[in-house]
Structures are given as structure tokens and as C-alpha cells.
Amino acid sequence: MINEENIRIEITQCSVLAKGAGYSMIRITDIDGKHSDKLQEGMITSIYGECEIMKISPKQYLAMVSNNNCMLASILAESGCFLTSAIPFTDDIIEWGIFSLNSTYVDMLMERMRHEGYKVKMISTNRVSKVDLNRKTGRRPNGCSQVRLL
């Protein structure tokens, strides 16, 4: 989470849209309640995408952001992996939760990200059990794993 001037920003969901576009749901917290002038509700549109901010409680806002040309969305869409979470720690460091049917897809994703100039580090990997997948999908693909990237 980013905490600057008592404003906390948390990326709660990210999705990949068509043709390299990314879409994110971002929770914004005005910790001390003194930044409503910086957090205006409404829609902003540009050639790069859109951002809609909605106030959901006295100190909480929800932003829906689309980026029409997101390199990371393109890389992820081509990888065969699914993004399950994106948690920012600083402006430069984001921890991604990645779900993949095959560890080779994760390796290829990391290699491509490095090739494009991103610094990537695998911080953990967990093999998803048959029981976990049965609850969600009713089946278990071979080599299925969950990975945390930093």
C-alpha cells in the first residue's frame, strides 16, 4: 500500500482487456479525512484511458481505471497466466499474485517481463491442491500453481 500525505492507495483487482488494455479497481482511503479536495468524484477521460472516482463512505473512494496501452496487461494476456492480486508497496514495487496451469508459463512471463525492462523476483510458489480446485472448478489441471511475484 502506498501511504503519502495520509492517502492510502490499494489496487484491489486488475484485469486484462482486449488489445493490451488494462483495467484496475483501486481503493483510496483518506486516512485523516482532510483530502476531499484532491479526491473529486467523477470521470476523467484522455487518449490514455479513463478514471472514474466514486465516494463510497466518508473516507473511502473507489477508482475504476482503464489504461488503453498497458505493457504489463499485454505481457500478461500473452503469458497463459492469470493475475489474482496486485498489491503496491511503493510507487515502484508491486506484489502480483499469479495463477497458472503450468510453471513454464510463469517462467516465460518472468522472462518476458525482464526482457521488457521490468525487475521481477519470485517470492513464493504454492502448488494448488486438488481439494482447493475442486471447490472452485470441479477439476484439477496438471501442474497448477499459485505464484507471488515482486
Side-chain angles (χ1 to χ4, degrees):
M1 281 181 254
I2 300 168
N3 188 351
E4 186 174 312
E5 295 185 36
N6 290 318
I7 296 174
R8 185 174 59 219
I9 299 172
E10 179 182 2
I11 301 168
T12 59
Q13 289 291 326
C14 288
S15 297
V16 176
L17 303 175
K19 298 181 184 176
Y23 193 60
S24 300
M25 181 172 24
I26 301 170
R27 183 184 2 228
I28 304 168
T29 305
D30 182 359
I31 296 169
D32 59 12
K34 296 179 180 177
H35 299 89
S36 60
D37 58 322
K38 294 180 182 178
L39 299 168
Q40 297 294 317
E41 287 187 275
M43 173 79 79
I44 298 169
T45 303
S46 76
I47 61 170
Y48 303 107
E50 297 179 346
C51 175
E52 183 173 7
I53 298 176
M54 299 158 279
K55 189 171 188 172
I56 56 175
S57 75
K59 294 183 180 182
Q60 295 281 322
Y61 295 80
L62 186 65
M64 303 301 290
V65 178
S66 65
N67 179 342
N68 294 334
N69 191 18
C70 180
M71 175 62 78
L72 287 173
S74 296
I75 293 170
L76 190 63
E78 296 166 2
S79 72
C81 300
F82 297 92
L83 182 66
T84 59
S85 66
I87 303 167
F89 290 97
T90 70
D91 287 337
D92 298 325
I93 298 174
I94 298 175
E95 180 184 299
W96 278 13
I98 301 291
F99 183 82
S100 175
L101 298 178
N102 185 318
S103 63
T104 302
Y105 296 152
V106 175
D107 293 340
M108 289 170 41
L109 170 65
M110 291 176 61
E111 183 179 320
R112 171 80 189 279
M113 289 174 73
R114 286 185 183 114
H115 177 75
E116 297 296 338
Y118 296 97
K119 294 180 183 177
V120 183
K121 176 182 172 186
M122 186 179 299
I123 56 173
S124 70
T125 183
N126 297 321
R127 190 160 182 82
V128 178
S129 73
K130 186 175 183 178
V131 173
D132 289 341
L133 279 174
N134 281 338
R135 277 189 240 138
K136 293 180 181 176
T137 65
R139 62 187 175 87
R140 179 178 184 262
N142 290 335
C144 192
S145 61
Q146 235 173 344
V147 178
R148 309 296 297 170
L149 298 179
L150 190 60

